[in-house]
Amino acid sequence: MKNVKSKSATGGVKARPATVSRAKSRPKTAYSKAEIEEIFRRFSIQRPEPKGELEHVNPFTLVVAVALSAQATDAGVNKATRALFAAADTPEKMVALGEGKVREYIKTIGLYRNKAKNVIALSEKLISDFGGEVPRTREELITLPGVGRKTANVVLSMAFGHSTMAVDTHIFRIANRIGLAPGKTPDEVEEQLMRIVPDHYLYHAHHWLILHGRYCCKARKPECDRCVIADICKSAEKTNEIPAPLVELPAQVI
């Protein structure tokens, strides 16, 4: 690095190092490795086999369901897709159904017109580019209309058994609220969670976090008295220091 020369008080010239601008580092997790291990150990006892709550019958219907779930609830999507998937559970059947009929099936879902267009477009691309089969890589999945990184990660995990971190609104909120994986974007949160979650908990981690956010650490008001990690949690919003009893919850009904 070049030195910048400046005059001294006596008129001579002395060298001083140039100012180095340092980019601000991203905020790190507020938890130690031991604390993170304990958080996910408790989640694993509470929900040994967590499941996604979007109804589907095969990888194709899963892609469609997740794409439709953007800015919509899983319950709302399930209500609309039960009849849709009974009529069309393959890309070929979906294309044959047509955009107009797809719109009728999903009109109770937000942004249904654009989503119906994407469902037909992604079905056509699956037929033309992938032989009607759902691809098994993130790079290929995100080429499908209406499919972003989150959708691709959900499909890779739920359809093909990959350990991924699909950062939805629940995970993004929790990661920042409790300081587990602070980030300004879903990609930043995903990157940090993939780095800090212990490998032996990674496969189920995104479902544990989603379900914790949906049913306990809720958006409007976290229910800290029902939280199994209340004693570990470092959220400024925390209202309780005593963890809820660590017992297995009833099996999910999907």
Side-chain angles (χ1 to χ4, degrees), residues 50 58 65 67 121 127 159 192 201-202 232 247:
N58 55 33
I127 295 168
Q192 187 161 192
Y201 291 131
L202 188 56
I232 305 174
V247 296

Side-chain angles (χ1 to χ4, degrees), residues 40 138 149 153 162-167 181 186-199 202-203 205-206 209:
F40 287 98
R138 183 183 293 110
R149 187 177 180 89
N153 281 340
H162 294 198
S163 294
T164 62
M165 186 62 63
V167 178
D187 285 357
E188 287 183 7
V189 170
E190 177 189 341
E191 179 185 353
Q192 187 161 192
L193 285 171
M194 291 296 292
R195 186 171 65 250
I196 67 172
V197 175
D199 288 344
L202 188 56
Y203 178 67
H206 79 286
L209 291 170

Side-chain angles (χ1 to χ4, degrees), residues 126 130 133-138 140-141 143-144 155-156 160:
L126 285 172
F130 302 104
E133 298 293 324
V134 174
R136 293 172 175 256
T137 70
R138 183 183 293 110
E140 291 173 317
L141 282 165
T143 67
L144 300 174
V155 173
L156 289 173
F160 303 125

Side-chain angles (χ1 to χ4, degrees), residues 4 16 29 38 46 48 51 54 57 59 68 70 80 89 95-96 99 107 134 182 205 209 217 222 236 240 242:
V4 180
R16 61 178 174 82
T29 181
E38 180 62 11
Q46 187 181 45
K51 295 178 174 63
L54 284 172
V57 296
L68 293 177
D89 59 359
V95 171
E99 185 179 329
K107 62 185 178 182
V134 174
L209 291 170
C217 197
N240 178 50
I242 302 173

Side-chain angles (χ1 to χ4, degrees), residues 28-86:
K28 297 180 180 179
T29 181
Y31 300 82
S32 67
K33 287 185 178 180
E35 288 172 327
I36 294 171
E37 174 77 25
E38 180 62 11
I39 286 170
F40 287 98
R41 184 191 74 83
R42 294 186 192 181
F43 286 160
S44 72
I45 293 173
Q46 187 181 45
R47 289 186 172 92
E49 293 293 333
K51 295 178 174 63
E53 296 186 321
L54 284 172
E55 296 175 6
H56 61 284
V57 296
N58 55 33
F60 169 68
T61 55
L62 177 61
V63 172
V64 173
V66 181
L68 293 177
S69 71
Q71 299 182 50
T73 65
D74 287 0
V77 172
N78 290 340
K79 186 176 180 180
T81 57
R82 285 176 194 133
L84 174 63
F85 294 157

